[in-house]
Amino acid sequence: GDSVTQMEGPVTLSEEAFLTINCTYTATGYPSLFWYVQYPGEGLQLLLKATKADDKGSNKGFEATYRKETTSFHLEKGSVQVSDSAVYFCALTDRRKLIWGLGTSLAVNP
Amino acid sequence: DTAVSQTPKYLVTQMGNDKSIKCEQNLGHDTMYWYKQDSKKFLKIMFSYNNKELIINETVPNRFSPKSPDKAHLNLHINSLELGDSAVYFCASSQGAGGGYTFGSGTRLTVV
């Protein structure tokens, strides 16, 4: 069945560092891909999405490109802030529901 | 206006009790979900309703019963609560099943 694998955390960075959180997937067909973010004590929020190969999703300085050849959707940000500390989830849709990765916790220190 | 609201935010109860969590969305979405998130942040889908019809019913104890009186509401009733039911429960909604979800802020259930 469809699945999502993302890098294990926690990831700890200093402010203004470059962030990459790896996400790879297996799926039949051509799923849409998503990144969600969960700030402490809150629900999940859609961060960005891509619906077809080579699409780039972007929001709040975060970017991810749908790479069909490597079945990847890595999340990147050029300069993280303390306020980016959260758990990040990669997901894909199988048209019935979202298939979730296990989440990657990010802590950004001042 | 809160897009997806769930109540209560916190729920502490004794083993064996019955409790309900309510969820309402004002986005006009046709699909609603219940998720359970454990202490390691693992997300498990429990149920999904589309226009009041149950479309996903994952392997969940039958002590958990969802009810959708209309497409804007999806409630979760839990009978005979157990320690292992302690978790954060999230309601979410979407337009269709393949799109982005909007989540509520969660209900932290603690069974003592």
Side-chain angles (χ1 to χ4, degrees), chain A residues 13-21 39 47-48 57 59-64 74-85 88 106 108:
Chain A
L13 296 173
S14 297
E15 208 164 22
E16 299 183 3
F18 185 86
L19 168 71
T20 299
I21 300 178
Y39 298 104
L47 182 59
L48 53 84
N59 186 24
K60 299 182 182 179
F62 291 90
E63 292 184 341
H74 305 321
L75 182 68
E76 297 182 334
K77 187 176 185 183
S79 175
V80 293
Q81 306 300 312
V82 171
S83 57
D84 293 326
S85 298
Y88 293 82
L106 169 67
V108 180

Side-chain angles (χ1 to χ4, degrees), chain A residues 29-91:
Chain A
Y30 304 97
S32 294
L33 302 173
F34 304 85
W35 276 102
Y36 281 79
V37 59
Q38 185 178 25
Y39 298 104
E42 298 184 12
L44 284 78
Q45 303 174 24
L46 178 63
L47 182 59
L48 53 84
K49 68 178 184 180
T51 57
K52 61 183 188 298
D54 300 325
D55 268 2
K56 177 185 282 188
S58 61
N59 186 24
K60 299 182 182 179
F62 291 90
E63 292 184 341
T65 301
Y66 190 142
R67 302 278 188 207
K68 183 167 174 288
E69 63 277 12
T70 54
T71 62
S72 65
F73 193 53
H74 305 321
L75 182 68
E76 297 182 334
K77 187 176 185 183
S79 175
V80 293
Q81 306 300 312
V82 171
S83 57
D84 293 326
S85 298
V87 180
Y88 293 82
F89 293 88
C90 185

Side-chain angles (χ1 to χ4, degrees), chain B residues 7-51:
Chain B
T7 55
K9 190 168 176 63
Y10 299 97
L11 189 51
V12 180
T13 188
Q14 291 188 328
M15 276 195 305
N17 283 351
D18 303 338
K19 291 293 179 185
S20 292
I21 307 172
K22 296 186 176 182
C23 179
E24 175 182 5
Q25 55 96 2
N26 63 5
L27 298 166
H29 288 166
D30 60 5
T31 306
M32 296 185 72
Y33 311 83
W34 277 112
Y35 276 88
K36 179 181 181 181
Q37 186 176 48
D38 64 19
S39 59
K40 295 186 178 178
K41 302 297 185 183
F42 177 70
L43 280 165
K44 175 181 165 60
I45 190 168
M46 301 174 70
F47 303 103
S48 171
Y49 272 75
N50 178 270
N51 283 319

